[in-house]
């Protein structure tokens, strides 16, 4: 029998890379996907050298034809971690760029849709599949400047909730992990288009934002529960963040 297989999107950095490590450590064959092939190949190589089963596949989750080809070439899939996503800009509704909103919807919502539709047959065939969606606390509330990202993450949350209703009775569970503030290398840098000073300000004075490993631990825990246990939703924030708009910052 082949090894239980976990597909992770956005495995080239941050939470996705840490999740690949976590699930490899839990005994899964991990299939790392992202657009940057060099990154995922390096990580797959590192995991393979450490004795794990790991493969890298370049994949843009917004490209439906590529997603279908990827799914068709996969021999089995037990776990799908829909992690690829992110924010662009922090502009008010009055002046936000519709192109940013569109890009955020495409990766955070349609990306999840494409991957889930393409892999649902294999997840069902596994007899104990897991679809996991990394949303955000922005999928459960909003904040000034966050409408485009919050709208997209609300969309991803609704996708997960609706799918759970629709496939009840099939051997696939649907898990949502909603992180709050996580200090990863690229999330805020991408949001502010490479402005490192502005990105650093997001975490300024916050004693301990979550790390990618904190979220990956949570994902690995949810995925490794017995198959009949469906962790519907976990909201994970650093202790210093009481809500999307209430963060304790030390002077
Ligand atoms: O972000 P980052 P995080 N097709 O920027 C990939 C959510 N979250 O790990 O394609 C395929 O390091 C990109 O890879 P590449 C957040 O919304 C975070 O912090 O090579 N992949 C990279 O690996 C996101 O859903 C925070 O450029 C695509 C990955 O996505 C998830 O957690 C808070 C892609 C992004 O990694 C991981 O975030 C929160 C595409 N079209 C929710 N576009 C936080 N950090 O504070 C991007 O509430 N990727």
């Amino acid at each position: 029998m082949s090894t239980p297989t976990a597909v992770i999107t956005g495995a080239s950095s941050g939470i996705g890379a840490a999740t690949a490590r976590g699930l490899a450590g839990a005994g899964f064959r991990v299939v790392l996907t992202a657009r940057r092939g060099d990154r995922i190949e390096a990580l797959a190589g590192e995991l393979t050298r450490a004795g794990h089963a790991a493969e890298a596949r370049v994949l843009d989750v917004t490209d439906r034809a590529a997603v279908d080809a990827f799914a068709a070439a996969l021999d089995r899939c037990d776990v799908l971690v829909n992690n690829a996503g992110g924010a662009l800009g922090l502009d008010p509704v009055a002046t936000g760029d519709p192109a940013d909103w569109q890009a955020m919807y495409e990766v955070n919502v349609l990306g999840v849709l494409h991957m889930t539709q393409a892999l649902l047959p294999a997840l069902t065939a596994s007899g104990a599949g897991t679809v996991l969606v990394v949303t955000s606390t922005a999928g459960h509330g909003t904040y000034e400047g966050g409408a485009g990202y919050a709208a997209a993450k609300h969309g991803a949350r609704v996708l997960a909730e609706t799918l759970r209703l629709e496939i009840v009775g099939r051997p696939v569970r649907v898990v949502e992990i909603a992180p709050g503030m996580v200090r990863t290398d690229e999330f805020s840098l991408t949001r502010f288009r490479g402005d490192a000073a502005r990105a650093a300000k997001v975490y300024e004075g916050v004693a301990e934002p979550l790390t990618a490993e904190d979220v990956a631990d949570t994902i690995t825990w949810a995925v490794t529960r017995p198959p009949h246990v469906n962790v519907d939703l976990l909201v994970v924030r650093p202790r210093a963040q009481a809500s999307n708009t209430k963060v304790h910052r030390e002077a």
Side-chain angles (χ1 to χ4, degrees):
M1 256 244 322
S2 55
T3 314
T5 298
V7 171
I8 300 125
T9 68
S12 59
S13 64
I15 294 167
T19 299
R21 288 197 167 89
L23 293 179
F28 286 94
R29 169 176 71 132
V30 288
V31 181
L32 282 56
T33 73
R35 293 167 302 178
R36 286 170 295 176
D38 53 340
R39 297 278 201 109
I40 50 175
E41 269 152 32
L43 180 52
E46 180 198 313
L47 291 170
T48 305
R49 285 190 295 281
H52 302 296
E55 294 159 34
R57 299 274 180 276
V58 170
L59 186 62
D60 181 339
V61 295
T62 67
D63 180 344
R64 183 52 186 256
V67 168
D68 284 341
F70 166 80
L74 201 62
D75 59 337
R76 74 180 277 178
C77 181
D78 301 78
V79 175
L80 166 62
V81 178
N82 285 298
N83 163 77
L88 287 173
L90 192 65
D91 304 304
V93 172
T95 55
D97 184 345
D100 284 347
W101 282 58
Q102 188 161 354
M104 287 189 278
Y105 194 83
E106 286 201 356
V107 66
N108 292 292
V109 185
L110 297 182
V112 176
L113 179 71
H114 294 321
M115 292 299 296
T116 304
Q117 287 185 338
L119 289 173
L120 202 50
L123 289 158
T124 307
S126 78
T130 302
V131 176
L132 188 145
V133 185
V134 180
T135 62
S136 172
T137 50
H140 296 260
T142 191
Y143 52 94
E144 288 154 275
Y149 181 57
K153 287 300 194 186
H154 274 70
R157 167 166 75 93
V158 167
L159 187 160
E161 278 182 17
T162 310
L163 179 66
R164 194 180 300 118
L165 295 171
E166 291 170 351
I167 65 171
V168 69
R170 286 197 232 169
V172 181
R173 58 189 173 177
V174 183
V175 178
E176 179 191 350
I177 304 292
M181 182 186 282
V182 192
R183 184 169 202 154
T184 55
D185 293 338
E186 298 187 3
F187 178 83
S188 292
L189 215 52
T190 302
R191 173 167 230 167
F192 299 121
R193 298 179 170 81
D195 184 338
R198 206 171 164 203
K201 265 209 160 320
V202 172
Y203 313 103
E204 202 171 70
V206 181
E208 282 179 294
L210 295 179
T211 63
E213 288 70 28
D214 292 328
V215 182
D217 266 0
T218 307
I219 292 171
T220 303
W221 177 81
V223 166
T224 53
R225 293 313 85 207
H228 69 286
V229 178
N230 196 132
V231 178
D232 283 14
L233 165 67
L234 274 172
V235 177
V236 194
R237 300 183 198 269
R239 193 174 55 201
Q241 185 186 31
S243 80
N244 287 357
T245 52
K246 180 89 179 166
V247 178
H248 178 69
R249 295 181 194 271
E250 279 156 21

